[in-house]
Amino acid sequence: MKMIVAILNDADKNKVDMALIEGGFSVTMMSSTGGFLNRGTTTLLLGVEDDRVDEAIEIIKNNVSKRKEIPHKNLPTVAQEVVTKKKGKVEQGGVVLFVLNVQDIQKF
């Protein structure tokens, strides 16, 4: 059994959540904030049988999008430097996935 932790942009959370549910996956959503640009993100947790991991990842990848956005002006210094180099727009979206081994999942 595996635990998939997916961190994605808030703009994609409903589409990804619905696609996973339609695919028969149970999903827990948690609100989170990106550390680089301080934008709203959502962290999804999925307990997945080993033989369905690739299927879940494919659903997630197919339902996230990338876009270029102008970030907030009150960014940390490092983020401001990156934004300046990229002429004001930074690519947002996509997903960061972690697949972890899980010994046991219990639901009560």
Side-chain angles (χ1 to χ4, degrees), residues 3 25 30 35 49 54 59 63 69-70 72 75 83 85-86 92:
M3 168 74 71
F25 295 96
M30 299 184 301
E49 296 295 333
D54 291 338
I59 289 171
N63 287 282
E69 297 180 13
I70 297 172
H72 302 291
L75 295 175
V83 170
K85 288 178 186 175
K86 296 193 178 259
Q92 290 283 293

Side-chain angles (χ1 to χ4, degrees), residues 1-105:
M1 177 152 293
K2 305 288 185 203
M3 168 74 71
I4 297 175
V5 179
I7 304 167
L8 50 105
N9 191 289
D10 277 347
D12 297 322
K13 71 180 178 183
N14 291 333
K15 186 176 177 184
V16 173
D17 184 48
M18 293 308 297
L20 287 167
I21 290 170
E22 287 174 9
F25 295 96
S26 296
V27 181
T28 299
M29 282 198 296
M30 299 184 301
S31 295
S32 49
T33 303
F36 182 66
L37 297 176
N38 296 322
R39 293 288 174 111
T41 60
T42 297
T43 301
L44 305 178
L45 303 176
L46 295 86
V48 179
E49 296 295 333
D50 289 349
D51 62 338
R52 295 196 71 202
V53 169
D54 291 338
E55 179 186 355
I57 290 172
E58 214 40 48
I59 289 171
I60 294 167
K61 285 184 352 185
N62 290 335
N63 287 282
V64 296
S65 59
K66 290 189 177 186
R67 59 205 147 275
K68 291 197 177 206
E69 297 180 13
I70 297 172
H72 302 291
K73 292 183 180 181
N74 299 333
L75 295 175
T77 304
V78 173
Q80 287 176 2
E81 291 172 8
V82 171
V83 170
T84 301
K85 288 178 186 175
K86 296 193 178 259
K87 299 188 174 138
K89 288 195 175 183
V90 176
E91 190 170 280
Q92 290 283 293
V95 64
V96 176
L97 288 171
F98 300 90
V99 180
L100 310 168
N101 289 320
V102 174
Q103 184 174 340
D104 185 31
I105 292 179

